Structure formats: structure tokens, C-alpha cells
Amino acid sequence: MSGQQLIRKIGGSDVSTSAVGLGTWAIGGWMWGGTDEAESIAAIQASLDAGVTLIDTAPAYGLGRSEEIIGKAIAGRRDKAVIATKCGLVWHTDKGRHFFDQDDRPVHRYLGRDAIFHEVEESLRRLGTDYIDLYITHWQDPTTPIEETMRALEDLKTSGKIRAIGASNVGAPELQAYIATGGLDAIQERFSMIDREMESDLLPLTRANGVSTLSYSSLALGLLSGTIGPDRVFSGDDQRLGNPRFSVSNREKVLAFAAAIRPVADKHKASIAQIVIAWTLAQPGVTFALCGARNPAQALDNARAGTIRLDADDRSAIDTTISAKLTDMDR
């Protein structure tokens, strides 16, 4: 069955938004072979027009490029968007621990109070707004106590600069430490049909403590969309180039999976990607599914997934097919 966009609340905050979210790592260009600003703006605006209000970004996506593009796209319609962005990957200081280099700049993992207060102002400027709906620690910093990080985030929430607090790329002990502070609203973690590790450790904790979960890479970098055939060639700095996840064998397995669940897709007059996203949102504890789009057509395809409601028979058929077709994937 299909209906209106599925809307869900972010943890214990007063922020509600679409269960399908637009992920904008690719819009930043870095590790995705560049970006087309006009197409990216059109994709963001198409998402908003289709009722996808959640837009997820981060300063590290192109060293601010993704945030800047979003700022241009939402100008004059800020009230229609729920913006999630992040802190903790910094290039203005060498505090914390070196993580990677981007455009010849060293990027460090650092979540000290001084950096968080600096980063939020930079993100607000790039986004062209005076508040962020969900502010997420991007990668964890072992040099800064979580209690210090959370005090800084809670102070930003009290001041009105952020509305909800999240953490990303955490292990179970780190999640427990965040939960112990009492202020965590959400986590953002990799989750898909072929990335289900957090079902055993993180999701039981979030479900028990009223913490929302945003899944990223819900389509496994596009692999699960059912549109990447064995002849597809990746180039430049596209992270899928040479990635064993995108082996010919894996792509063939996904195409076989897509063919097997075609009856479910046809029942809902949906694409394979839409069914994969709808399945993700039907998993216990998964509140939001972030899906990338680089043009309006992709954005609208993702948006429709938020209107699909899979029934028990659909989910059973899909689960059986996952077990039969998506095992022993190259990694």
C-alpha cells in the first residue's frame, strides 16, 4: 500500500521529519567524482517538493561544499527543511587525532568544546541559517571525554543554535556513555540489507532508551539500487573504484536479488531501490533512512519510498530473498 510521506520524531526532541532523508555526501563531490552544483540544488529542491524534509550533510563533505550548496538550495524555504549536520572532523586545528587528508589539508577527529563552538558557527554560515535541527558528532574522538562533548552540545541546544543531538560511528560502549548523559536524541550508523551488524549491539540500546536511528548508506553506496550492472565502470576519485563491495560477482548477486523481489516491487508499482528503502524503514529500531541523490530524478525516486508501506507478506518474501541471494558478498 502507498500513502503520504512517513513522518517520525527524532528521539526525545520536538523535531519531526520525513523518515526518508536526503544524504548529501555525494553532493559535496569528494570521493564521488566531483559535483554539479545546479543539478545538486535541483535535487535538494525536488526532495523538499516531494515531502522529504530531512537533509543530512557534514562539513567534511567537500570541506564545506555540501553545506554551501544546501544553503543555496534552501534559501527562502528554510522552514520546509530539517537540517542535520555534524561536528568533529576539523581542519582548522591539529588537536585530536589525524584521520585523513582532503585537498591536501589534514583533517583531525576532535570533539573538544572549543572546536564544536567554532564548527557550529561555520556550519550556520555556510547553510545560511541561524539554527541546526540535528547536530551530530561525526566520528568519535578518543582524546575528549564524551561528557565534555555533550556539555558543549547541550549548551548549544539551550542557546537555540541546535534543536537535537546525535552521534555517529559509535561502538556500544560509546553509545552507552552518550545515553548516560541523558541528552542523546539519535545515532547515525551504516545499515542496509548487507550491513546489519548494529542489529546485535546498537539497536537494542537505542530501542530501550528512546534514541532514534538514522541509517546511512541504506542503498550500500548505490549497490542495492538494482541499477548498477556488471559492466559499469567507475573512475576518478569515486570510492567505488576498486572497492571489493562492487565486484562483478556482487553486482550479479544484487541483480539476481532484484529480479527475485520484482513481484513485490510490481505490487507497489515501485522501483527496486524504493522497496529496499521501504524495507530499511520497516526494520525494528531504524527510524530514518538516508539516501543519496545527485539529480531530481534520483531524489524523486527516493522520495516515493517514504509513501510505501510493506505488509508482513512483503517483508517475509524480501527477508527470504536476502538470505538466498545476498550471502557471501565480497567485502
Side-chain angles (χ1 to χ4, degrees):
M1 296 178 62
S2 299
Q4 299 297 312
Q5 279 292 340
L6 181 61
I7 304 296
R8 290 173 171 170
K9 190 177 178 184
I10 300 177
S13 75
D14 60 358
V15 182
S16 294
T17 187
S18 58
V20 171
L22 175 64
T24 66
W25 182 7
I27 281 174
W30 174 58
M31 295 183 72
W32 287 91
T35 190
D36 182 313
E37 181 173 307
E39 280 280 88
S40 297
I41 289 173
I44 295 164
Q45 294 177 340
S47 294
L48 292 174
D49 291 341
V52 171
T53 53
L54 176 59
I55 302 174
D56 177 80
T57 185
Y61 300 165
L63 298 181
R65 184 71 173 136
S66 176
E67 288 185 327
E68 290 170 349
I69 290 173
I70 291 168
K72 293 176 182 179
I74 65 172
R77 54 197 307 184
R78 172 65 180 92
D79 61 323
K80 305 298 183 184
V82 174
I83 303 297
T85 193
K86 306 177 185 74
C87 59
L89 294 186
V90 299
W91 57 92
H92 72 282
T93 178
D94 60 2
K95 292 181 180 179
R97 291 190 179 173
H98 179 263
F99 196 23
F100 56 80
D101 291 342
Q102 183 177 167
D103 295 343
D104 298 322
R105 296 188 188 183
V107 177
H108 287 70
R109 290 162 60 171
Y110 180 56
L111 286 166
R113 182 183 184 89
D114 56 326
I116 289 173
F117 273 66
H118 171 84
E119 283 199 89
V120 75
E121 295 300 334
E122 290 294 291
S123 288
L124 291 170
R125 176 183 60 79
R126 288 188 290 256
L127 290 163
T129 185
D130 57 3
Y131 69 96
I132 292 163
D133 297 285
L134 174 61
Y135 204 41
I136 303 166
T137 58
H138 198 162
W139 282 87
Q140 301 312 304
D141 163 28
T143 73
T144 303
I146 286 173
E147 293 78 6
E148 176 185 335
T149 297
M150 282 298 291
R151 282 196 298 272
L153 295 172
E154 287 167 346
D155 286 347
L156 289 177
K157 188 173 181 180
T158 299
S159 72
K161 292 193 174 183
I162 68 174
R163 300 176 65 199
I165 297 170
S168 186
N169 300 302
V170 295
E174 292 166 321
L175 176 55
Q176 289 171 324
Y178 273 106
I179 289 172
T181 69
L184 187 70
D185 295 299
I187 63 169
Q188 183 176 136
E189 300 293 330
R190 186 174 75 167
F191 180 84
S192 73
M193 289 177 169
I194 56 176
D195 296 298
R196 303 177 66 171
E197 294 82 2
M198 72 172 179
E199 287 179 328
S200 64
D201 55 2
L202 301 183
L203 286 181
L205 286 170
T206 58
R207 293 170 65 189
N209 290 278
V211 175
S212 293
T213 296
L214 292 77
S215 73
Y216 71 75
S217 203
S218 304
L219 292 171
L221 303 178
L223 178 63
L224 294 174
S225 66
T227 62
I228 299 179
D231 297 329
R232 172 76 175 270
V233 176
F234 302 104
S235 60
D237 73 342
D238 192 319
Q239 63 182 303
R240 295 171 292 185
L241 176 64
N243 185 339
R245 176 62 64 85
F246 285 83
S247 69
V248 170
S249 173
N250 277 6
R251 290 186 240 176
E252 290 174 341
K253 288 178 181 179
V254 170
L255 290 179
F257 165 80
I261 67 165
R262 176 58 64 185
V264 177
D266 289 345
K267 170 184 171 181
H268 291 277
K269 297 181 174 60
S271 68
I272 297 301
Q274 289 165 352
I275 294 301
V276 172
I277 297 166
W279 175 91
T280 302
L281 289 171
Q283 300 313 295
V286 178
T287 323
F288 304 96
L290 302 175
C291 310
R294 305 183 74 173
N295 57 58
Q298 292 173 352
L300 293 175
D301 193 73
N302 292 343
R304 168 115 202 297
T307 71
I308 296 170
R309 309 291 187 264
L310 299 176
D311 61 29
D313 289 340
D314 297 330
R315 296 193 297 272
S316 177
I318 294 168
D319 288 340
T320 298
T321 308
I322 291 172
S323 297
K325 303 292 185 182
L326 297 183
T327 56
D328 301 322
M329 301 280 282
D330 296 330
R331 294 179 180 274

